[in-house]
Amino acid sequence: MHTMVNNNLLRMDNVGIVVESLDEVISFFTELGLKLQGRFMVEGEWAGRVTGLGDQSVEIAMMVTPDGHSRLELSRFLNPPVVADHRDAPVNALGYLRVMFAVKDLDELLTRLYKQGAHLVGEVVQYEDVYRLCYIRGPEGLLIGLAEELNAK
């Protein structure tokens, strides 16, 4: 079956995560290895027209991976107030699951992240001789995947 290629998509810019404490979450993702690219307020009816929330006031922190290709947009809503909380949903819940990061020296990284309050969801598991993988819960129960490629150059 022949499928037409969609040439409109250029890249994925970021994944958005709504949090209660920007400072705590920024600190955690900084320890993970992301850099704070900027922190700013998004306010007004124009933004509400995009989100469908009406007049809104949101503090945003944009974090970027070391290679500059991936970003997390962390948002703290001041107005309107948060209406739902999905952070502690189990891994098999419907909806967005987690963000997966490729890392090196997984054990050393986990030791540092534990000091930031992270904990393992299950176990660190080796998949064949390709990856060591785990899921952790970071600040505010955020689910994060970590994958260390074995024999990486």
Side-chain angles (χ1 to χ4, degrees):
M1 177 179 192
H2 178 70
T3 57
M4 216 163 118
V5 176
N6 180 338
N7 291 326
N8 296 77
L9 182 67
L10 301 176
R11 67 184 171 273
M12 186 181 84
D13 274 345
N14 64 65
V15 172
I17 303 174
V18 177
V19 302
E20 285 183 299
S21 172
L22 276 179
D23 291 336
E24 181 183 6
V25 177
I26 288 168
S27 176
F28 178 83
F29 282 115
T30 299
E31 188 68 35
L32 181 59
L34 280 79
K35 291 191 172 112
L36 180 62
Q37 191 176 35
R39 191 166 173 170
F40 49 92
M41 292 295 297
V42 174
E43 298 179 285
E45 65 89 24
W46 73 268
R49 290 198 339 257
V50 175
T51 62
L53 294 175
D55 192 28
Q56 65 182 41
S57 178
V58 184
E59 187 178 7
I60 305 284
M62 192 66 77
M63 303 208 64
V64 63
T65 55
D67 65 2
H69 294 295
S70 300
R71 288 172 183 75
L72 290 181
E73 180 182 291
L74 307 174
S75 302
R76 184 175 71 93
F77 275 81
L78 298 130
N79 183 57
V82 171
V83 295
D85 189 343
H86 306 288
R87 293 171 296 185
D88 292 324
V91 171
N92 59 343
L94 295 174
Y96 287 104
L97 175 58
R98 51 99 184 112
V99 178
M100 176 70 76
F101 293 98
V103 303
K104 63 181 181 181
D105 198 350
L106 178 60
D107 294 325
E108 187 273 335
L109 177 60
L110 284 172
T111 299
R112 289 191 290 117
L113 294 179
Y114 292 152
K115 292 175 185 169
Q116 295 274 330
H119 63 273
L120 277 174
V121 171
E123 305 172 35
V124 176
V125 175
Q126 183 164 323
Y127 172 70
E128 298 181 351
D129 59 353
V130 182
Y131 285 105
R132 291 181 71 229
L133 306 155
C134 68
Y135 281 178
I136 61 171
R137 291 272 181 191
E140 302 188 21
L142 297 174
L143 187 62
I144 299 158
L146 302 174
E148 177 183 20
E149 188 174 358
L150 301 174
N151 305 315
K153 305 275 186 257

